[in-house]
Amino acid sequence: MSRDLPIVAITPFPVAAAHELGDAQLRANLGRATRTIRDKRARVVAEVADWEPMRDRAAAVKDEVLDNLAELLARFEAAAVAAGATVHHATDAAHANAIVTELVRAQRAESVVKIKSMATQEIGLNEALEAAGVTPIETDLAELIVQLADDTPSHILVPAIHYNRSQIRELFARRMPGFTATSDEPAVLAGAAREYLRRTFLAAKVAVCGANFAIAETGSLVIVESEGNGRMCLTLPETLIAVVGVEKLLPRFADLGDFLRLLPRSSTGERMNPYTSIFTGVTPGDGPQRLHIVLLDNGRTQVAQDPVGRAALRCIRCSACLNVCPVYERAGGHAYGSVYPGPIGAILSPQLTGQDAGFNKTLPYASTLCGACYDVCPVKINIPEILVHLRQTGPKPAAERAAMSTLSWVMRDRRRWRIALRAARSGSAPLRLIARRHGGTLRRAPWPLSAWTAHRDAPLPAAESFRDWWRRTHESS
Amino acid sequence: MRIALFVTCLNDALFPQAGIATVTLLERLGHTVAFPAAQSCCGQMHANTGYAAPARQLERLTEAAFAGHDVIVSPSGSCVAHLRAHTGLPAYELSELLVDVLGVTDVGATFPHRVTYHPTCHGLRALRLGDRPATLLRAVKGLELIDLPEPEQCCGFGGTFALKNAAVSGAMLADKCANAAATGAEYLAAADNSCLAHIGGGLARRPGAPRPIHYAEILASTGAPS
């Protein structure tokens, strides 16, 4: 697996996170943004009386997809082809990029307009197109900001969450053709982006999109968005190329209803998103005349084989887990080194690439297992359970392995455990004198406990263990 | 009813007061408590750090140690959650035992202090303790319960997370300590000494901040000088 894939961490999470934590502005921006959006989500979710049964149904539908992936893919392909689409199968990122690049070349297009898509970010499509001499133009406002800044997104839903408006104005002035505005009012900035994008839409011959859902029954693709840029891309160009992860399937059209209710409330905290586009094949004389659908595997069928980890493939990319995650709130998206940040990224990226890729093995440890992510997940992905599962199946340091098995050996026998407690107590006796100055806790402990006392005082073994107290008070007669 | 205490390894070694308070309280309420000496660790630390095999050995040992008891009580939410998920034992967190099983909400305690309560992640989400601990604390004579801002936020402990991701853990701890200090309480109570060891370690570095205390110790207190 290539190390430069956008889902491979090139820095260990603890190192990257410590670096991001140093940015006070970033922390303030993130704290404010995530708090606002999680309050909003909680309010609109509380309005829905059947939210819990709806989560159960959605999880069951997604599991049905994973159980019958090959069959549903074949059904989807047959229906899409019958409606006039061309379907391609991409095994990995390089394969998908080659297919898309070839399709763009065939249209002799020098640029393509893009709808925000996690799948194309996952495979690094923009970079591949640029290498082939094609300019990809992101049309989602936040995604455009990130692209103009030569940056990477830091949030699934709000990719430019880490920028404020004066930074954005400065960026537009430098990088956006024809930009003249002097104010950093959000409406002015959005207006300037709208004018720029409108010229771009009208000139585009090819558009590239992803899909939120793919309906096996009808061969339809579904795109949910809020700016209308997606609808422009879906209707104006002659050629439309959709890159769709195979897990995006839903078996039946009727399954869509629950998901269209779950997704916007979980992601933007809105009751409904402004634009939902459902499109099936091509219609002569109306809209794109060529529709190519690239079904992307890139590790997914492998993940679907793992009885515990597969639940990660239920994900509908709503980002609710990011917004409630205390680790994400402090470290930000870039610390995860992946287009999939936050709790879902911590389980999805290492599974898609294998835990040996880059520093993806550090991602399952980027959580306290507090469980807030599981509570809000609209498709009930038990993220803490999968984090623990990945810790158990992934590579581990030899010293830690040895310490853990020694500790377990001591704890499995009551005599050994009692001796260990007494040894800890007498060994720490000199420290008790030092600790007394701080109300009984230790301010600076020797290695390896120094890692603990770098941030907090350490407790000392009790003068009398519980079991010794019990023996003294309840067993001496 | 045969009630057995699972004191947990951490309480046994570092915070015996929580176990002593649990025993004292239950005996005061007229119950006999057993302490199976073969117990040590539930396996949570091993399992959560990624060591399934030693975790399973400890889980089996715990099952064997507690075989035959009707009810197992523990002053640790996270260990109870682990026992429930990985063993067949009838394990209860202290507030669950008191409120749901024994039907007590006023344990007859006296603790004339201002107290704020941190609900802990396992208490909140794994066990859904809800307002059981707060109900018990509100019935304590002389106790003034003060709301903790952002109570549902994790303190940043997370077992080995505190060491493996020390910087993020420290940032989360700083926010939890700031919220605790803002209450003006004398004590910060919780149902888990692992979280309290972490938060208390942070609070110890803030002069005038609340002191950490296991809520079992409050419930066991009768106001008499010990």
Side-chain angles (χ1 to χ4, degrees):
Chain A
M1 191 69 61
S2 164
R3 285 197 54 163
D4 52 13
L5 271 181
I7 46 174
V8 175
I10 54 167
T11 310
F13 181 84
V15 176
H19 176 261
E20 299 290 320
L21 275 167
D23 185 341
Q25 181 68 55
L26 172 76
R27 265 179 83 180
N29 292 354
L30 276 172
R32 197 177 317 113
T34 55
R35 196 166 296 138
T36 305
I37 200 166
R38 72 172 171 251
D39 290 350
K40 215 169 137 194
R41 187 211 76 93
R43 271 201 307 279
V44 299
V45 163
E47 295 172 350
V48 183
D50 65 335
W51 185 258
E52 289 308 314
M54 197 154 64
R55 284 173 83 201
D56 287 325
R57 287 198 300 271
V61 165
K62 280 295 187 181
D63 283 350
E64 181 188 343
V65 169
L66 296 175
D67 284 339
N68 306 286
L69 199 51
E71 186 202 327
L72 288 170
L73 276 173
R75 198 177 300 168
F76 173 82
E77 178 167 359
V81 169
T86 308
V87 174
H88 311 257
H89 295 268
T91 52
D92 60 16
H95 190 193
N97 287 335
I99 293 170
V100 176
T101 307
E102 198 46 51
L103 290 169
V104 174
R105 277 213 185 107
Q107 299 306 315
R108 300 178 197 290
E110 288 173 4
S111 65
V112 299
V113 286
K114 281 192 69 208
I115 306 175
K116 175 176 157 35
S117 142
M118 297 307 295
T120 59
Q121 280 178 17
E122 172 187 324
I123 60 176
L125 179 65
N126 285 6
E127 293 76 5
L129 287 174
E130 277 164 9
V134 178
T135 307
I137 302 166
E138 295 288 352
T139 64
D140 172 89
L141 180 54
E143 206 69 52
L144 175 66
I145 292 166
V146 170
Q147 188 183 37
L148 290 175
D150 283 327
D151 196 0
T152 52
S154 63
H155 188 286
I156 290 176
L157 180 79
V158 201
I161 198 169
H162 53 304
Y163 286 97
N164 64 31
R165 63 194 200 185
S166 73
Q167 290 171 312
I168 293 167
R169 198 210 72 83
E170 192 269 336
L171 183 67
F172 280 8
R174 227 164 10 94
R175 304 293 298 271
M176 186 185 283
F179 180 85
T180 53
T182 50
S183 154
D184 65 1
E185 282 300 311
V188 172
L189 294 175
R194 186 178 290 123
E195 273 176 36
Y196 162 70
L197 287 172
R198 204 158 276 170
R199 293 194 299 275
T200 312
F201 290 131
L202 290 170
K205 287 162 70 178
V206 178
V208 174
C209 65
N212 294 94
F213 306 102
I215 316 287
E217 182 182 34
T218 59
S220 313
L221 296 178
V222 183
I223 289 185
V224 171
E225 45 134 359
S226 40
E227 294 173 16
N229 63 303
R231 190 158 286 182
M232 300 287 268
C233 293
L234 294 174
T235 49
L236 292 172
E238 290 169 6
T239 300
L240 177 61
I241 305 168
V243 181
V244 182
V246 293
E247 84 287 9
K248 293 287 175 182
L249 282 170
L250 298 180
R252 297 155 296 266
F253 198 85
D255 296 322
L256 193 56
D258 281 341
F259 288 92
L260 290 180
R261 295 178 72 202
L262 288 165
L263 180 54
R265 284 182 201 254
S266 300
S267 61
T268 52
E270 291 167 305
R271 295 180 181 89
M272 187 155 193
N273 53 290
Y275 298 90
T276 301
S277 301
I278 305 174
F279 52 105
T280 314
V282 294
T283 306
D286 183 18
Q289 296 301 294
R290 284 174 292 277
L291 171 61
H292 292 275
I293 303 171
V294 182
L295 294 171
L296 175 71
D297 190 311
N298 205 31
R300 287 163 172 74
T301 49
Q302 183 88 15
V303 177
Q305 308 302 312
D306 184 325
V308 180
R310 68 185 302 191
L313 295 178
R314 292 182 196 156
C315 176
I316 56 174
R317 313 284 188 259
C318 73
S319 71
C321 62
L322 276 65
N323 300 323
V324 297
C325 178
V327 175
Y328 176 87
E329 184 182 331
R330 271 94 185 169
H334 287 157
Y336 295 80
S338 167
V339 302
Y340 299 118
I344 186 65
I347 58 171
L348 194 56
S349 305
Q351 290 201 90
L352 289 175
T353 63
Q355 295 199 66
D356 291 325
F359 282 100
N360 278 4
K361 63 169 184 262
T362 61
L363 296 177
Y365 295 91
S367 166
T368 63
L369 309 177
C370 83
C373 49
Y374 182 27
D375 262 14
V376 297
C377 178
V379 286
K380 283 202 165 171
I381 303 171
N382 190 336
I383 295 177
E385 181 187 39
I386 301 177
L387 287 166
V388 169
H389 171 67
L390 294 176
R391 292 176 186 186
Q392 291 177 346
T393 55
K396 286 183 268 296
E400 182 185 277
R401 189 183 288 276
M404 282 289 172
S405 60
T406 306
L407 194 54
S408 158
W409 179 80
V410 170
M411 285 171 154
R412 284 203 305 275
D413 180 283
R414 75 174 87 174
R415 280 174 308 272
R416 292 197 288 259
W417 175 238
R418 184 191 288 272
I419 291 165
L421 290 184
R422 290 192 172 156
R425 188 183 67 214
S426 55
S428 63
L431 297 174
R432 220 177 302 275
L433 296 171
I434 306 169
R436 198 170 294 156
R437 282 207 300 273
H438 306 297
T441 52
L442 197 61
R443 188 119 315 167
R444 203 171 304 153
W447 188 89
L449 264 180
S450 51
W452 177 272
T453 51
H455 292 271
R456 52 196 94 71
D457 283 14
L460 284 168
E464 183 181 41
S465 70
F466 176 85
R467 64 187 56 227
D468 284 347
W469 173 84
W470 178 270
R471 182 181 268 192
R472 181 166 62 78
T473 57
H474 286 71
E475 285 175 3
S476 58
S477 51
Chain B
M1 196 180 326
R2 292 154 55 81
I3 302 176
L5 174 71
F6 178 52
V7 75
T8 81
C9 57
L10 191 82
N11 286 328
D12 196 359
L14 303 180
F15 305 103
Q17 318 84 273
I20 294 169
T22 305
V23 172
T24 307
L25 172 64
L26 289 172
E27 288 177 350
R28 192 174 78 214
L29 294 173
H31 302 281
T32 304
V33 181
F35 177 72
Q39 63 178 288
S40 64
C41 169
C42 63
Q44 183 192 187
M45 175 178 59
H46 287 85
N48 285 356
T49 314
Y51 297 87
R56 248 189 308 277
Q57 290 176 314
L58 289 165
E59 288 152 12
R60 296 295 88 86
L61 173 127
T62 309
E63 273 188 329
F66 285 95
H69 292 280
D70 303 326
V71 162
I72 294 145
V73 66
S74 181
S76 166
S78 64
C79 302
V80 170
H82 188 80
L83 288 182
R84 247 181 231 173
H86 297 274
T87 72
L89 294 170
Y92 294 85
E93 196 279 326
L94 176 62
S95 70
E96 294 175 318
L97 177 78
L98 292 169
V99 176
D100 300 351
V101 181
L102 304 178
V104 189
T105 51
D106 185 345
V107 297
T110 302
F111 193 75
H113 297 284
R114 294 190 312 273
V115 174
T116 190
Y117 183 79
H118 169 58
T120 79
C121 299
H122 284 89
L124 267 176
R125 302 185 193 95
L127 299 180
R128 309 273 175 207
L129 292 183
D131 57 1
R132 289 180 189 86
T135 302
L136 290 161
L137 288 173
R138 278 198 200 92
V140 172
K141 264 198 236 47
L143 187 147
E144 184 193 345
L145 191 62
I146 305 173
D147 285 340
L148 178 69
E150 301 189 311
E152 77 294 340
Q153 283 272 315
C154 174
C155 70
F157 171 58
T160 45
F161 176 85
L163 301 176
K164 291 192 181 217
N165 279 285
V168 181
S169 172
M172 291 164 70
L173 173 63
D175 292 345
K176 183 58 73 181
C177 288
N179 280 329
T183 62
E186 297 160 78
Y187 290 94
L188 174 106
D192 218 311
N193 267 326
S194 52
C195 312
L196 279 172
H198 173 72
I199 303 172
L203 291 175
R205 298 184 180 189
R206 300 177 65 115
R211 288 165 56 191
I213 189 170
H214 195 289
Y215 83 118
E217 295 174 61
I218 297 178
L219 299 183
S221 168
T222 51
S226 55

